[in-house]
Amino acid sequence: MIPESERTGVARSLFWPWFAANVSVFGISYGSFVLGFGISAVQALAVGVVGTVLSFVLCGLVAISGKRGSAPTMTLSRAVFGVHGNRLPAAVSWILLVGWETVTVSLAVLATATVLAELGVGGGTGTKVVAFAVVAPLVVAAGVMGMAAIARVQKVITVVAGALTVVYVVLVAPQVDLAVVAALPAGPTAAVVGAAVFMLTGFGLGWVNSAADYPRYLPRTTSSASVTGWTTFGGAVGPVVLVVFGVLLAGSSTTLSAAIGDDPVGALATLLPTWFLVPFALVAVLGLVGGAVLDIYSSGLALLAVGLPAPRWAAALLDGVLMTLGVVYVVFFASSFIGPFQGFLITLGVPIGAWCGLVVADVALRRRDDDGGDLFRPRGRYGSVDALSVTTLVLATAIGWGLVTSSTFTWQGYLLGPLGLGGVDGAWASANLGVLAALVLGFGAGLLRRGAVRRQEDAAPSSLTAWWSPG
């Protein structure tokens, strides 16, 4: 819990951690990813911008609960699921965050190894080992630090990574061929929807389960609109610019687009003059490390919400060990990057989508601040298990997984045939409608909790909490 005396600052301070975590050159690779759905440049630009912004709007709405309470996101969601019922979504959140840690650190290692190879320094497995030995400990050490220290690190990362990313765009911009990009054929509606869902899961929906971790340090009187606005702006502005440029760059070269699928960040280095390879490695690693640091910080909090009896730094350290094992697999044993990455995003995007829908509905219904004491008391106003929320999460996940497909998890898509959508080989298989279905089902069920929310708010204040006040 954050003491009231430590809740200082203004909403615009949220810009720094969100921008730093999402300014990575990895965002350029998303241009190739969306074009991979077989859509035109105009369609890709539309879903890239709209999907990215809407995904961070979800983060901004969830962030409101942070300034209303003094606890991390996955502790605050106990008001929706119950103190013990919340362990289920907390476990899902923890898996998602550890997965993202693995993704970003793997990319940093691969990018560093590729740059070193381009410079003629080593190559192959040995170079990857050296890159791994440098990057992984850096992320773990930074993630174990407290939020104040992380904020200082993020400001440095923001300035350096942002400036060098601009230089990268200027250097490779001449390789954009607008005529080739404009000639890309339009894709069917299902492909456009699939690309939009990919953008949702690849950006904001991957952050919603930690979106309230940072506003909890703001005063309760902070405007909800400003919290949502600065979170959305900070998170979306970098990716929007990078995705737009990525569509133009990848659309100009099928060779580059294919290479990005195996080494999303390292492939971008092959376009650079030798003198900028070292600065590129710096911007790539800094940007990816910036995102990984926030992930490992929040995953430690999520693990505590599951019930691990340990301090936050110890939970973050445990996450770092698991992340390290995951990075070893991706870097040294996986045959490609894009297949497992898409499967990871879509599979966990379904339950996180359902959770997000429930929490956003709760934010919309709730008129007062959370009672911090009862968030830790199964017999308090939030109860032990909220049957409606837990049941919704399970059912929405089961339905959602039946409406998505991936090359990694072949058991999915079992509802596509029965619902007349063409089965796992049909046109709508790649649309991944299950993520949207889970989000909508979660929000709809969440609105049905209006009576429960009112009863929670009308209950007597907890004797363990002195800061309870109308919000």
Side-chain angles (χ1 to χ4, degrees), residues 281-301:
L282 180 63
V283 66
V285 172
L286 279 178
L288 292 166
V289 166
V293 167
L294 288 185
D295 280 330
I296 199 170
Y297 177 84
S298 293
S299 64
L301 296 176

Side-chain angles (χ1 to χ4, degrees), residues 74-75 78 82-94 298-312 315 318-319 375-376:
M74 295 312 300
T75 298
R78 291 174 178 177
V83 175
H84 290 152
N86 190 63
R87 291 183 178 180
L88 176 60
V92 174
S93 171
W94 174 64
S298 293
S299 64
L301 296 176
L303 190 55
L304 297 181
V306 174
L308 180 71
R312 188 203 61 80
L318 174 59
D319 287 348
L375 287 173
F376 297 89

Side-chain angles (χ1 to χ4, degrees), residues 242-260:
L242 294 173
V243 169
V244 168
F245 182 72
V247 168
L248 300 178
L249 188 63
S252 302
S253 171
T254 55
T255 301
L256 173 64
S257 191
I260 287 174

Side-chain angles (χ1 to χ4, degrees), residues 432-448:
N432 292 313
L433 296 173
V435 175
L436 298 178
L439 181 63
V440 171
L441 288 172
F443 183 75
L447 293 179
L448 297 178

Side-chain angles (χ1 to χ4, degrees), residues 120-186:
V121 181
T125 302
T127 304
K128 291 180 181 179
V129 170
V130 173
F132 172 78
V134 173
V135 175
L138 176 64
V139 172
V140 174
V144 170
M145 297 187 302
M147 189 60 201
I150 289 176
R152 289 193 295 271
V153 171
Q154 293 290 52
K155 284 190 177 182
V156 174
I157 291 176
T158 299
V159 174
V160 176
L164 293 180
T165 299
V166 171
V167 175
Y168 175 86
V169 171
V170 171
L171 288 175
V172 302
Q175 303 199 41
V176 172
D177 189 329
L178 294 179
V180 173
V181 175
L184 295 173

Side-chain angles (χ1 to χ4, degrees), residues 340-397:
F341 178 57
Q342 287 182 320
F344 157 71
L345 288 183
I346 296 302
T347 300
L348 289 180
V350 170
I352 287 297
W355 175 90
C356 181
L358 284 158
V359 172
V360 169
D362 185 79
V363 169
L365 293 174
R366 201 167 293 277
R367 301 171 300 184
R368 300 178 180 175
D369 295 340
D370 289 316
D371 185 310
D374 279 351
L375 287 173
F376 297 89
R377 298 174 60 213
R379 295 185 180 181
R381 70 184 63 219
Y382 305 119
S384 176
V385 177
D386 186 295
L388 176 60
S389 294
V390 173
T391 301
T392 298
L393 179 62
V394 173
L395 290 180
T397 299

Side-chain angles (χ1 to χ4, degrees), residues 205-261:
L205 202 57
W207 286 106
V208 290
N209 52 322
S210 59
D213 291 358
Y214 319 116
R216 68 193 178 115
Y217 290 88
L218 298 178
R220 298 179 192 280
T221 55
T222 304
S223 164
S224 294
S226 63
V227 169
T228 298
W230 281 106
T231 298
T232 302
F233 179 61
V237 63
V240 164
V241 173
L242 294 173
V243 169
V244 168
F245 182 72
V247 168
L248 300 178
L249 188 63
S252 302
S253 171
T254 55
T255 301
L256 173 64
S257 191
I260 287 174

